[in-house]
Amino acid sequence: MVLTALHRAACSVTELATVIGVKQSAVSHQLRLLRALDLAVKGRRTGCDAGQPLDERLPK
């Protein structure tokens, strides 16, 4: 579900948690695993919000 949401657009952990309906800590854990597998890249921070984009090398 995290990959599906990120495939649409970069989202913050809070946005992902709301869309998917799970706790922020669960989303953070999943994002850490996706980054370890090179499926997501480290987020870009804007103020207190950080977007989590998919790796651009992945097919759409």
Side-chain angles (χ1 to χ4, degrees), residues 37-57:
L37 295 170
D38 290 328
L39 295 175
V41 295
K42 186 149 182 150
R44 296 181 197 109
R45 185 169 294 281
T46 307
C48 12
D49 212 14
Q52 304 291 329
L54 284 178
D55 190 328
E56 293 177 359
R57 296 173 292 168

Side-chain angles (χ1 to χ4, degrees), residues 2-60:
V2 172
L3 279 176
T4 302
L6 289 176
H7 192 66
R8 293 183 187 131
C11 303
S12 69
V13 172
T14 303
E15 291 169 330
L16 285 170
T18 301
V19 168
I20 297 169
V22 298
K23 293 183 180 183
Q24 289 181 9
S25 60
V27 173
S28 293
H29 178 75
Q30 292 298 313
L31 288 170
R32 183 172 61 243
L33 293 174
L34 291 172
R35 284 192 298 270
L37 295 170
D38 290 328
L39 295 175
V41 295
K42 186 149 182 150
R44 296 181 197 109
R45 185 169 294 281
T46 307
C48 12
D49 212 14
Q52 304 291 329
L54 284 178
D55 190 328
E56 293 177 359
R57 296 173 292 168
L58 293 175
K60 298 268 180 187

